[in-house]
């Protein structure tokens, strides 16, 4: 049908018509809030490049988790900043490590809130790489055991789901096997399967104090130019036992989310990363954009592209707005 028989504006004319034909609906059920844990008591150190976010000691982290829970956010994902870093990332899998303590505290205070943990070594190694270094390279196979130990220690602390973000080959199988061996066969693995080597992680590295001290992450994170490779990465992780496949970052990779949604039959998560948050907040501080409307539109676009789960630094604010 063509104009004038068809008029697209008829069904845009009233708020109710627009509500009735809306194809994509964002809800607080879609959101996951990232939080950064540090050692200490009553510590709330602002992360300069991420307004509204802080490095939080466990007592304050529990408060932020509670605020998210009360706003209607179903899950948080925890990152740790350890008191000491070393070549073998020993604080990543220590029983009294920072993430382990944070998980215990959040689960004790808010049992209904789902606690996911990021499994990686970069914040725990003195060189800031996601695996361990052998012969001047990030060595894949010798990193796997440490990643698996980290995941198991998170599960032992009470984590509901683990999310490996290191991009070593074979880590999902290693983690799945270790969880199963230790009696955690019901703990799902959300794999950062399709993680690009991205400039959008800059503010996060300030937050997590995890910038690589030499070189970059291009030997393990994906080349932003590649899309077919995303399918290969996702397929590999599914075969290794992943339960949820993540694409990261989200905004510059909406085509990848869309494509995976067509090709795979697992839930898809998308990580609306630190740089995506920071540029909108910076624009707001300059008075140039309406960040909260922009964030809402952004999250909607990520969902429209095919994401079932969206990890976003705006989770609590957005959930409050959606449930107001
Ligand atoms: C750890 C990790 C990173 C992010 C999540 N897990 C940083 C990186 O790979 O350098 C980035 C999250 C963000 O930018 O919000 N490997």
């Amino acid at each position: 049908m063509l104009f004038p028989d068809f008029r697209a504006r008829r069904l845009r004319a009233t708020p109710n018509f627009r509500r009735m034909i809306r194809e994509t609906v964002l809800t607080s059920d879609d959101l996951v809030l990232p939080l950064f844990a540090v050692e200490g008591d009553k510590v709330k150190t602002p992360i300069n490049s991420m307004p509204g976010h802080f490095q939080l000691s466990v007592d304050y982290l529990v408060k932020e988790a509670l605020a998210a829970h009360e706003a209607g956010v179903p899950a948080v994902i925890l990152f740790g900043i350890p008191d000491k870093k070393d070549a073998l990332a020993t604080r990543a899998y220590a029983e009294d490590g920072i993430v382990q303590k944070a998980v215990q505290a959040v689960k004790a205070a808010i049992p209904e809130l789902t606690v996911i943990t990021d499994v990686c070594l970069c914040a725990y190694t003195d060189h800031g790489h996601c695996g361990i270094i052998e012969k001047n390279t990030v060595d894949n196979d010798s990193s796997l055991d440490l990643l698996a130990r980290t995941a198991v220690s998170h599960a032992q602390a009470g984590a509901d789901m683990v999310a490996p973000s290191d991009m070593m080959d074979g880590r999902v199988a290693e983690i799945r096997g270790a969880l199963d061996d230790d009696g955690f066969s019901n703990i799902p693995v959300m794999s950062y399967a399709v993680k690009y080597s991205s400039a959008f992680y800059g503010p996060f590295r300030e937050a997590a104090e995890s910038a690589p001290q030499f070189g970059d992450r291009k030997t393990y994170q994906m080349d932003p130019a590649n899309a077919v490779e995303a399918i290969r990465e996702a397929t590999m992780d599914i075969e290794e036992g992943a339960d949820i496949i993540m694409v990261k970052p989200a905004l510059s990779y909406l085509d990848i989310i869309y494509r995976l949604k067509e090709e795979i039959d697992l839930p898809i998560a998308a990580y609306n990363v630190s740089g995506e948050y920071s540029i909108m907040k910076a624009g707001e501080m300059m008075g140039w954009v309406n960040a909260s409307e922009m964030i809402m539109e952004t999250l909607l676009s990520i969902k429209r592209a095919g994401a079932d789960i969206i990890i976003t630094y705006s989770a609590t604010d957005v959930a409050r707005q959606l449930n107001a």
Side-chain angles (χ1 to χ4, degrees), residues 118 120 122 165 195 201 204-205 217 221 248 274 313:
D118 182 88
C120 196
C122 59
S165 69
K195 179 173 177 182
Y201 306 151
F204 173 96
R205 291 180 189 168
R217 304 210 200 288
Q221 298 182 346
K248 175 183 173 200
S274 58
Y313 297 96

Side-chain angles (χ1 to χ4, degrees), residues 195-215:
K195 179 173 177 182
Y196 288 92
S197 175
S198 170
F200 286 92
Y201 306 151
F204 173 96
R205 291 180 189 168
E206 178 197 332
E209 299 174 10
S210 65
Q213 300 303 302
F214 66 90

Side-chain angles (χ1 to χ4, degrees), residues 3-294:
F3 175 84
D5 296 325
F6 178 74
R7 288 178 182 270
R9 293 183 55 190
R10 282 184 198 129
L11 289 180
R12 290 181 200 142
T14 71
N16 279 348
F17 280 153
R18 294 196 294 272
R19 268 174 68 197
M20 290 160 72
I21 64 159
R22 189 159 292 145
E23 296 173 37
T24 307
V25 180
L26 184 71
T27 82
S28 54
D29 295 343
D30 304 325
L31 309 175
V32 176
L33 177 72
L35 291 171
F36 298 98
V38 282
E39 295 286 352
D41 213 24
K42 299 208 164 18
V43 182
K44 189 170 180 177
T45 310
I47 300 161
N48 287 331
S49 52
M50 300 177 68
H53 277 270
F54 304 85
Q55 294 180 337
L56 299 164
S57 53
V58 169
D59 47 345
Y60 280 154
L61 187 139
V62 169
K63 287 188 185 170
E64 287 296 323
L66 186 61
H69 172 63
E70 285 172 347
V73 174
V76 293
I77 181 165
L78 303 185
F79 296 90
I81 299 119
D83 45 2
K84 89 177 190 359
K85 301 176 190 260
D86 57 36
L88 292 178
T90 51
R91 299 304 292 164
Y93 40 89
E95 205 178 313
D96 63 347
I98 182 62
V99 165
Q100 290 79 355
K101 285 190 288 194
V103 172
Q104 276 162 12
V106 175
K107 287 308 291 185
I110 326 163
E112 319 86 285
L113 182 69
T114 292
V115 176
I116 308 167
T117 55
D118 182 88
V119 175
C120 196
L121 305 182
C122 59
Y124 304 87
T125 50
D126 46 15
H127 46 73
H129 278 290
C130 302
I132 61 176
I133 303 289
E134 276 182 22
K135 299 195 189 99
N136 289 325
T137 60
V138 179
D139 190 68
N140 195 86
D141 297 11
S142 54
S143 301
L144 298 179
D145 176 50
L146 301 186
L147 290 161
R149 280 166 68 178
T150 303
V152 169
S153 76
H154 292 172
Q156 281 165 342
D160 299 295
M161 176 151 77
V162 294
S165 69
D166 53 283
M167 289 299 278
M168 299 300 120
D169 291 324
R171 93 277 206 202
V172 172
E174 190 85 10
I175 288 171
R176 182 71 272 156
L179 287 172
D180 290 352
D181 289 347
D182 277 70
F184 297 109
S185 53
N186 288 325
I187 298 291
V189 176
M190 174 164 74
S191 173
Y192 289 69
V194 182
K195 179 173 177 182
Y196 288 92
S197 175
S198 170
F200 286 92
Y201 306 151
F204 173 96
R205 291 180 189 168
E206 178 197 332
E209 299 174 10
S210 65
Q213 300 303 302
F214 66 90
D216 53 37
R217 304 210 200 288
K218 292 195 169 104
T219 67
Y220 44 103
Q221 298 182 346
M222 285 176 59
D223 182 339
N226 295 352
V228 176
E229 190 188 356
I231 301 184
R232 201 150 60 231
E233 278 284 3
T235 308
M236 188 165 90
D237 285 9
I238 293 167
E239 283 178 13
E240 289 182 28
D243 298 279
I244 298 174
I245 294 295
M246 196 196 301
V247 175
K248 175 183 173 200
L251 272 192
S252 298
Y253 301 89
L254 293 177
D255 59 323
I256 307 296
I257 296 171
Y258 183 80
R259 206 151 158 168
L260 283 181
K261 190 70 184 173
E262 304 277 294
E263 304 247 359
I264 70 172
D265 60 1
L266 285 187
I268 295 179
Y271 201 139
N272 176 216
V273 299
S274 58
E276 297 171 346
Y277 174 83
S278 299
I279 51 181
M280 290 186 194
K281 288 289 176 183
E284 179 177 54
M285 286 163 78
M286 294 299 287
W288 291 343
V289 297
N290 180 330
S292 63
E293 283 182 7
M294 244 183 186

